[in-house]
Structure formats: structure tokens, C-alpha cells
Amino acid sequence: MVKLNIAVIGFGRVGRACALALRNTDYLAMAGVVRRPTSPIKLPDPLGEIPVVTHVRDLKRVDVALICVPADVVLGVARELLQAEIPVVECAVLEGHALEMHYDAIGDAARHHNTRAIVGAGWNPGMLPLFERAFTTLIPDSHTKRTSRPGASLHHTEVVEGIEGVKGALATETRDWQGQLTRYVYVELAKGAKGVRGAKGSEGASLDKVEAALAADPLFVGEQTHVFEVESIATLEEEGRGIMLERIGTERTGAHATLLLEGRFDVPTFAARVMLDAAKRIPSLKPGAHRYSLWG
């Protein structure tokens, strides 16, 4: 199987994440990074051996270009690459009518130059709408609540940290459209404790024990609380982004129809993984623009 040579256009957070991800793939190879003339010509370790140029034409061979530049310049970069008959993958964060116009313009350029593009190949747009669509399919008669979860909103909670066997804990709260408060608690169990619900470790801690303690505490009485185990509270505090999707059915959808997706992750890393997944599909596509999908 011949590897595709990938150029990374731009070296911000997403560009760096793409370059790092390319080091660990068997089906894609790094052609180089395209940066502005004012940027350093050498990348930081462990990427120091990757070629850095100021224009894509200075790279030996490019099969696909990953566009990792600010959203307001993505279209111009895409048009230039497509004019050079270089297929592109982009992940510009735009919404509504602006996003549709953006997709149409890239599609027009791709068809005009008889080459291919994959649009919306990031976390959002890209992967997140697929989760939301799945929630809507499974529980149609309801609405999905999306809550962004920045790390800064987390705070330490002495109530949980005081439970025997809990090494550390962070919590946050959100209110739904009816004003109902829901708490989310993240616990790091002490070494030797078991995170499996109902199982007690040497420290006597379990997720069941944490939930029981919170249910009995006056601060949490009458409030919905979700408890999640994490490997490291310190790492969680350093993470910058996350998401919570919740969909609760009505009587028409059936009793207890509820979906909850809660995640913490580095957005550029997720976007890079989606872009690489899109890039490997380029050879099988017809000329034109194609929206990213998990299936293809």
C-alpha cells in the first residue's frame, strides 16, 4: 500500500496536533509543513526533522493538504490548493449560513479544478454533529442539551475529598432549561481502591460509596448528581475543554429513555485525528466537496 504524502498548512494548535498524529500512522506520510515567511523554519522537538516551507510548491510531493489555519482564511487557502490540483481536508469552525456558503464555495472550486475536498473534518463541525444526530435518531421526541465544559469551571469539593479512599475530587454544576440543577463530580480514588461500582478496594472506596455519601449530604439533597472516575485530578484540572450532551425522552418515547455523553479531551487532538481519517479516504472520492462522515 502506497502511503499518501500529507502537507500540513499552518502550525497552530491543530497543525501541531496533525503533525504529531502523522508520526504514528502507517498509511500516511508527512510531506512537510507550510508556514508564513515570518515563522521559524524549524519546528520544535520532536518534530524538528520535518521540512518547513513557505509555499506548498516547495514540497517534493503532496497528495493531500490539511488546512489548519484560522477560519477566516481557510477558503482562500483552499482555493489556492485546489487550483494547484491538490486535494484538501479542512475543519473551519463556522456556523449556520456562513458554514453553508463556505462549503458551497469549496465545492465549486473543487469541481472547477477537477479535484477533491473533504469539509467539516474536525471536532465541530465534524464529529460532534454525528453524536447529536445519533441522539436524535434514538430518542426522536425530545431535545438535546449541549453544554461546553471548560476546565476552568471545575472546582474542588471538600465534601467528596473527605470521603475515605478518595484522593481528590472536582465538581461542576449546570442548570437545564427548567432551572433544574445537575452536579457532575469527578473523583480520583486512592491507590488500591476499586472504581468498579459496588466493589471495595483496600481503602474502602467505590463509586457507589461516593454516591451514597453525596446523597446523604445536605448540600446535595434533592439534586441530580453524576459521579465519574478519572485517573488523575491534576491532569483533569489542566485540560481545557470538554462537552456534555444530554437527551431525555418524554412519555411518547418510552419510560427512562435517556442518553448522556460526557467527555473531556483536547479539541485540537480530536480534530487532528478526524482530519487524518478524512485524508486517507481522498483517493476513493469523486471530484468535488464531500462532508466528513464516519462511513465512507
Side-chain angles (χ1 to χ4, degrees):
M1 179 179 177
V2 178
K3 288 187 176 182
L4 296 176
N5 273 8
I6 307 298
V8 175
I9 315 298
F11 198 71
R13 294 184 65 195
V14 174
R16 178 182 173 84
C18 285
L20 288 169
L22 278 163
R23 297 171 68 243
N24 300 312
T25 65
D26 296 327
Y27 51 87
L28 302 172
M30 170 65 83
V33 171
V34 179
R35 304 187 76 177
R36 293 174 296 184
T38 55
S39 299
I41 60 172
K42 184 175 176 62
L43 301 181
D45 291 335
L47 305 172
E49 300 303 315
I50 295 175
V52 178
V53 298
T54 59
H55 197 281
V56 71
R57 64 171 171 260
D58 296 325
L59 295 174
K60 291 183 179 180
R61 177 186 132 210
V62 176
D63 298 311
V64 182
L66 307 183
I67 302 177
C68 306
V69 299
D72 59 345
V73 296
V74 167
L75 181 56
V77 172
R79 282 172 167 160
E80 183 178 352
L81 291 165
L82 292 168
Q83 185 176 7
E85 298 183 353
I86 298 174
V88 302
V89 174
E90 68 88 50
C91 62
V93 180
L94 298 167
E95 295 183 354
H97 185 58
L99 183 64
E100 295 302 320
M101 290 180 63
H102 176 79
Y103 288 168
D104 288 345
I106 291 180
D108 290 343
R111 287 187 295 272
H112 180 74
H113 297 292
N114 197 38
T115 188
R116 292 144 291 169
I118 297 182
V119 298
W123 165 246
N124 184 29
M127 190 64 71
L128 179 58
L130 300 180
F131 281 112
E132 293 178 319
R133 196 178 311 152
F135 274 37
T136 301
T137 299
L138 294 171
I139 306 181
D141 187 27
S142 185
H143 71 280
T144 300
K145 178 187 176 185
R146 181 204 299 180
T147 306
S148 296
R149 307 293 296 280
S153 68
L154 291 167
H155 55 81
H156 285 269
T157 168
E158 295 182 0
V159 172
V160 184
E161 291 177 336
I163 299 173
E164 183 182 2
V166 173
K167 183 178 180 180
L170 292 170
T172 189
E173 303 84 24
T174 63
R175 292 187 183 275
D176 62 20
W177 62 280
Q178 294 179 320
Q180 176 66 42
L181 181 68
T182 301
R183 296 182 186 270
Y184 298 87
V185 179
Y186 306 87
V187 298
E188 177 184 349
L189 299 180
K191 187 176 181 180
K194 302 293 185 181
V196 178
R197 295 186 182 276
K200 293 185 178 180
S202 59
E203 306 290 340
S206 71
L207 296 183
D208 281 346
K209 182 175 181 178
V210 173
E211 290 180 340
L214 295 181
D217 189 279
L219 180 64
F220 290 83
V221 168
E223 295 173 354
Q224 187 174 21
T225 302
H226 300 286
V227 180
F228 303 92
E229 183 185 8
V230 297
E231 292 186 2
S232 170
I233 287 296
T235 300
L236 183 60
E237 285 186 285
E238 295 175 358
E239 294 178 356
R241 294 292 298 276
I243 193 75
M244 193 265 295
L245 294 179
E246 188 172 16
R247 193 168 181 86
I248 301 175
T250 63
E251 292 182 359
R252 292 176 59 186
T253 57
H256 310 301
T258 302
L259 288 170
L260 175 67
L261 169 68
E262 201 280 344
R264 290 199 170 274
F265 47 85
D266 178 66
V267 171
T269 298
F270 270 23
R273 290 171 182 168
V274 175
M275 294 183 84
L276 265 60
D277 180 61
K280 70 180 182 181
R281 306 180 193 196
I282 285 286
S284 65
L285 300 177
K286 296 179 180 179
H290 307 262
R291 297 197 185 193
Y292 176 78
S293 172
L294 284 172
W295 305 272

PDB file of all heavy atoms in Angstrom, residues 97-114:
ATOM      1  N   HIS A  97     -25.524  29.918   8.166  1.00  0.00           N
ATOM      2  CA  HIS A  97     -25.455  30.273   6.748  1.00  0.00           C
ATOM      3  C   HIS A  97     -24.008  30.438   6.288  1.00  0.00           C
ATOM      4  O   HIS A  97     -23.660  30.084   5.159  1.00  0.00           O
ATOM      5  CB  HIS A  97     -26.235  31.561   6.507  1.00  0.00           C
ATOM      6  CG  HIS A  97     -26.330  31.954   5.069  1.00  0.00           C
ATOM      7  ND1 HIS A  97     -26.877  31.140   4.094  1.00  0.00           N
ATOM      8  CD2 HIS A  97     -25.932  33.096   4.415  1.00  0.00           C
ATOM      9  CE1 HIS A  97     -26.824  31.742   2.923  1.00  0.00           C
ATOM     10  NE2 HIS A  97     -26.247  32.922   3.083  1.00  0.00           N
ATOM     11  N   ALA A  98     -23.159  30.976   7.166  1.00  0.00           N
ATOM     12  CA  ALA A  98     -21.746  31.155   6.819  1.00  0.00           C
ATOM     13  C   ALA A  98     -21.083  29.820   6.527  1.00  0.00           C
ATOM     14  O   ALA A  98     -20.261  29.708   5.604  1.00  0.00           O
ATOM     15  CB  ALA A  98     -21.011  31.873   7.940  1.00  0.00           C
ATOM     16  N   LEU A  99     -21.441  28.809   7.285  1.00  0.00           N
ATOM     17  CA  LEU A  99     -20.863  27.476   7.067  1.00  0.00           C
ATOM     18  C   LEU A  99     -21.335  26.894   5.740  1.00  0.00           C
ATOM     19  O   LEU A  99     -20.534  26.330   4.982  1.00  0.00           O
ATOM     20  CB  LEU A  99     -21.251  26.545   8.219  1.00  0.00           C
ATOM     21  CG  LEU A  99     -20.670  25.132   8.163  1.00  0.00           C
ATOM     22  CD1 LEU A  99     -19.152  25.175   8.268  1.00  0.00           C
ATOM     23  CD2 LEU A  99     -21.256  24.271   9.286  1.00  0.00           C
ATOM     24  N   GLU A 100     -22.615  27.024   5.417  1.00  0.00           N
ATOM     25  CA  GLU A 100     -23.137  26.501   4.157  1.00  0.00           C
ATOM     26  C   GLU A 100     -22.503  27.202   2.957  1.00  0.00           C
ATOM     27  O   GLU A 100     -22.154  26.560   1.955  1.00  0.00           O
ATOM     28  CB  GLU A 100     -24.661  26.647   4.120  1.00  0.00           C
ATOM     29  CG  GLU A 100     -25.397  25.812   5.156  1.00  0.00           C
ATOM     30  CD  GLU A 100     -25.088  24.330   5.026  1.00  0.00           C
ATOM     31  OE1 GLU A 100     -25.006  23.829   3.888  1.00  0.00           O
ATOM     32  OE2 GLU A 100     -24.939  23.667   6.074  1.00  0.00           O
ATOM     33  N   MET A 101     -22.345  28.515   3.035  1.00  0.00           N
ATOM     34  CA  MET A 101     -21.705  29.261   1.952  1.00  0.00           C
ATOM     35  C   MET A 101     -20.252  28.826   1.786  1.00  0.00           C
ATOM     36  O   MET A 101     -19.734  28.717   0.665  1.00  0.00           O
ATOM     37  CB  MET A 101     -21.786  30.764   2.231  1.00  0.00           C
ATOM     38  CG  MET A 101     -23.186  31.356   2.128  1.00  0.00           C
ATOM     39  SD  MET A 101     -23.211  33.137   2.459  1.00  0.00           S
ATOM     40  CE  MET A 101     -22.189  33.751   1.113  1.00  0.00           C
ATOM     41  N   HIS A 102     -19.595  28.583   2.896  1.00  0.00           N
ATOM     42  CA  HIS A 102     -18.201  28.126   2.897  1.00  0.00           C
ATOM     43  C   HIS A 102     -18.087  26.781   2.184  1.00  0.00           C
ATOM     44  O   HIS A 102     -17.226  26.595   1.304  1.00  0.00           O
ATOM     45  CB  HIS A 102     -17.741  28.017   4.354  1.00  0.00           C
ATOM     46  CG  HIS A 102     -16.368  27.472   4.544  1.00  0.00           C
ATOM     47  ND1 HIS A 102     -15.229  28.224   4.366  1.00  0.00           N
ATOM     48  CD2 HIS A 102     -15.943  26.230   4.919  1.00  0.00           C
ATOM     49  CE1 HIS A 102     -14.164  27.484   4.609  1.00  0.00           C
ATOM     50  NE2 HIS A 102     -14.569  26.271   4.946  1.00  0.00           N
ATOM     51  N   TYR A 103     -18.967  25.846   2.521  1.00  0.00           N
ATOM     52  CA  TYR A 103     -18.962  24.535   1.877  1.00  0.00           C
ATOM     53  C   TYR A 103     -19.246  24.651   0.374  1.00  0.00           C
ATOM     54  O   TYR A 103     -18.597  23.982  -0.441  1.00  0.00           O
ATOM     55  CB  TYR A 103     -19.997  23.621   2.528  1.00  0.00           C
ATOM     56  CG  TYR A 103     -19.643  23.127   3.907  1.00  0.00           C
ATOM     57  CD1 TYR A 103     -20.608  22.501   4.702  1.00  0.00           C
ATOM     58  CD2 TYR A 103     -18.368  23.266   4.422  1.00  0.00           C
ATOM     59  CE1 TYR A 103     -20.298  22.034   5.966  1.00  0.00           C
ATOM     60  CE2 TYR A 103     -18.053  22.807   5.685  1.00  0.00           C
ATOM     61  CZ  TYR A 103     -19.022  22.192   6.455  1.00  0.00           C
ATOM     62  OH  TYR A 103     -18.703  21.739   7.712  1.00  0.00           O
ATOM     63  N   ASP A 104     -20.216  25.483   0.010  1.00  0.00           N
ATOM     64  CA  ASP A 104     -20.566  25.650  -1.407  1.00  0.00           C
ATOM     65  C   ASP A 104     -19.390  26.201  -2.204  1.00  0.00           C
ATOM     66  O   ASP A 104     -19.119  25.760  -3.336  1.00  0.00           O
ATOM     67  CB  ASP A 104     -21.771  26.578  -1.554  1.00  0.00           C
ATOM     68  CG  ASP A 104     -23.074  25.940  -1.091  1.00  0.00           C
ATOM     69  OD1 ASP A 104     -23.096  24.703  -0.919  1.00  0.00           O
ATOM     70  OD2 ASP A 104     -24.049  26.680  -0.872  1.00  0.00           O
ATOM     71  N   ALA A 105     -18.684  27.169  -1.625  1.00  0.00           N
ATOM     72  CA  ALA A 105     -17.562  27.787  -2.325  1.00  0.00           C
ATOM     73  C   ALA A 105     -16.422  26.788  -2.538  1.00  0.00           C
ATOM     74  O   ALA A 105     -15.810  26.743  -3.614  1.00  0.00           O
ATOM     75  CB  ALA A 105     -17.064  29.002  -1.552  1.00  0.00           C
ATOM     76  N   ILE A 106     -16.145  25.985  -1.531  1.00  0.00           N
ATOM     77  CA  ILE A 106     -15.096  24.970  -1.685  1.00  0.00           C
ATOM     78  C   ILE A 106     -15.531  23.920  -2.702  1.00  0.00           C
ATOM     79  O   ILE A 106     -14.734  23.450  -3.516  1.00  0.00           O
ATOM     80  CB  ILE A 106     -14.764  24.325  -0.326  1.00  0.00           C
ATOM     81  CG1 ILE A 106     -14.064  25.345   0.574  1.00  0.00           C
ATOM     82  CG2 ILE A 106     -13.874  23.089  -0.504  1.00  0.00           C
ATOM     83  CD1 ILE A 106     -13.688  24.819   1.945  1.00  0.00           C
ATOM     84  N   GLY A 107     -16.801  23.564  -2.679  1.00  0.00           N
ATOM     85  CA  GLY A 107     -17.319  22.606  -3.649  1.00  0.00           C
ATOM     86  C   GLY A 107     -17.190  23.114  -5.077  1.00  0.00           C
ATOM     87  O   GLY A 107     -16.797  22.364  -5.978  1.00  0.00           O
ATOM     88  N   ASP A 108     -17.510  24.384  -5.294  1.00  0.00           N
ATOM     89  CA  ASP A 108     -17.389  24.974  -6.628  1.00  0.00           C
ATOM     90  C   ASP A 108     -15.933  24.929  -7.111  1.00  0.00           C
ATOM     91  O   ASP A 108     -15.661  24.573  -8.269  1.00  0.00           O
ATOM     92  CB  ASP A 108     -17.881  26.427  -6.609  1.00  0.00           C
ATOM     93  CG  ASP A 108     -19.389  26.530  -6.428  1.00  0.00           C
ATOM     94  OD1 ASP A 108     -20.086  25.516  -6.646  1.00  0.00           O
ATOM     95  OD2 ASP A 108     -19.857  27.624  -6.067  1.00  0.00           O
ATOM     96  N   ALA A 109     -15.003  25.268  -6.218  1.00  0.00           N
ATOM     97  CA  ALA A 109     -13.586  25.275  -6.591  1.00  0.00           C
ATOM     98  C   ALA A 109     -13.088  23.868  -6.875  1.00  0.00           C
ATOM     99  O   ALA A 109     -12.330  23.649  -7.835  1.00  0.00           O
ATOM    100  CB  ALA A 109     -12.759  25.925  -5.486  1.00  0.00           C
ATOM    101  N   ALA A 110     -13.516  22.898  -6.070  1.00  0.00           N
ATOM    102  CA  ALA A 110     -13.066  21.520  -6.259  1.00  0.00           C
ATOM    103  C   ALA A 110     -13.557  20.966  -7.598  1.00  0.00           C
ATOM    104  O   ALA A 110     -12.803  20.315  -8.339  1.00  0.00           O
ATOM    105  CB  ALA A 110     -13.551  20.651  -5.102  1.00  0.00           C
ATOM    106  N   ARG A 111     -14.805  21.238  -7.933  1.00  0.00           N
ATOM    107  CA  ARG A 111     -15.338  20.751  -9.210  1.00  0.00           C
ATOM    108  C   ARG A 111     -14.684  21.459 -10.403  1.00  0.00           C
ATOM    109  O   ARG A 111     -14.379  20.833 -11.416  1.00  0.00           O
ATOM    110  CB  ARG A 111     -16.855  20.938  -9.244  1.00  0.00           C
ATOM    111  CG  ARG A 111     -17.609  19.960  -8.340  1.00  0.00           C
ATOM    112  CD  ARG A 111     -19.110  20.075  -8.553  1.00  0.00           C
ATOM    113  NE  ARG A 111     -19.608  21.382  -8.145  1.00  0.00           N
ATOM    114  CZ  ARG A 111     -19.996  21.681  -6.915  1.00  0.00           C
ATOM    115  NH1 ARG A 111     -19.918  20.762  -5.957  1.00  0.00           N
ATOM    116  NH2 ARG A 111     -20.447  22.886  -6.621  1.00  0.00           N
ATOM    117  N   HIS A 112     -14.455  22.759 -10.252  1.00  0.00           N
ATOM    118  CA  HIS A 112     -13.860  23.530 -11.347  1.00  0.00           C
ATOM    119  C   HIS A 112     -12.459  23.026 -11.687  1.00  0.00           C
ATOM    120  O   HIS A 112     -12.076  22.987 -12.864  1.00  0.00           O
ATOM    121  CB  HIS A 112     -13.807  25.009 -10.962  1.00  0.00           C
ATOM    122  CG  HIS A 112     -13.213  25.894 -12.018  1.00  0.00           C
ATOM    123  ND1 HIS A 112     -13.895  26.238 -13.174  1.00  0.00           N
ATOM    124  CD2 HIS A 112     -11.988  26.492 -12.114  1.00  0.00           C
ATOM    125  CE1 HIS A 112     -13.127  27.001 -13.920  1.00  0.00           C
ATOM    126  NE2 HIS A 112     -11.957  27.171 -13.309  1.00  0.00           N
ATOM    127  N   HIS A 113     -11.703  22.628 -10.662  1.00  0.00           N
ATOM    128  CA  HIS A 113     -10.324  22.176 -10.881  1.00  0.00           C
ATOM    129  C   HIS A 113     -10.216  20.649 -10.880  1.00  0.00           C
ATOM    130  O   HIS A 113      -9.108  20.107 -10.848  1.00  0.00           O
ATOM    131  CB  HIS A 113      -9.406  22.776  -9.817  1.00  0.00           C
ATOM    132  CG  HIS A 113      -9.343  24.273  -9.862  1.00  0.00           C
ATOM    133  ND1 HIS A 113      -8.756  24.965 -10.898  1.00  0.00           N
ATOM    134  CD2 HIS A 113      -9.831  25.216  -8.998  1.00  0.00           C
ATOM    135  CE1 HIS A 113      -8.864  26.265 -10.669  1.00  0.00           C
ATOM    136  NE2 HIS A 113      -9.508  26.453  -9.532  1.00  0.00           N
ATOM    137  N   ASN A 114     -11.382  19.984 -10.905  1.00  0.00           N
ATOM    138  CA  ASN A 114     -11.433  18.526 -11.033  1.00  0.00           C
ATOM    139  C   ASN A 114     -10.609  17.820  -9.952  1.00  0.00           C
ATOM    140  O   ASN A 114      -9.880  16.863 -10.213  1.00  0.00           O
ATOM    141  CB  ASN A 114     -10.957  18.086 -12.418  1.00  0.00           C
ATOM    142  CG  ASN A 114     -11.383  16.659 -12.742  1.00  0.00           C
ATOM    143  OD1 ASN A 114     -12.484  16.230 -12.396  1.00  0.00           O
ATOM    144  ND2 ASN A 114     -10.514  15.903 -13.398  1.00  0.00           N
TER     145      ASN A 114
END
